[in-house]
Amino acid sequence: IGLEVKELESVKQPEKFDIKEEKDHMIIYTKPGRNFDILVDSNFMLSAISSKKGVIKVHKKSNVGRELLKAISQRRTISLRG
């Protein structure tokens, strides 16, 4: 039996990030190997883990990808908490 114990995070803090639109994906660049919540206008969209290089990919044809595209075009607030 394997058991993993992690410290409980009390409050997730906003993080700096860059977002880029590519052919099939929305690419979010942030700190590597961490768990993040992506929010649009304080509404939760998804929880994701960044890669070793600090990349989170969201496919543009997914529901979340469409919401991110719409939020960018409407200049709504996108935030990353981790």
Side-chain angles (χ1 to χ4, degrees), residues 21-78:
E21 182 180 349
E22 291 196 351
K23 183 178 178 184
D24 294 329
H25 294 89
M26 299 298 296
I27 310 291
I28 300 170
Y29 298 96
T30 187
K31 295 180 181 176
R34 296 198 37 210
N35 190 15
F36 293 100
D37 292 337
I38 300 172
L39 300 101
V40 174
D41 291 334
S42 300
N43 295 320
F44 178 80
M45 290 284 112
L46 80 137
S47 183
I49 299 173
S50 60
S51 70
K52 291 179 185 177
K53 294 181 180 181
V55 173
I56 299 171
K57 286 186 177 183
V58 179
H59 202 283
K60 287 170 37 173
K61 291 187 179 179
S62 69
N63 290 336
V64 174
R66 288 186 191 125
E67 283 296 319
L68 286 174
L69 282 171
K70 191 180 346 177
I72 290 170
S73 68
Q74 295 174 353
R75 298 184 183 265
R76 293 168 37 204
T77 303
I78 299 172

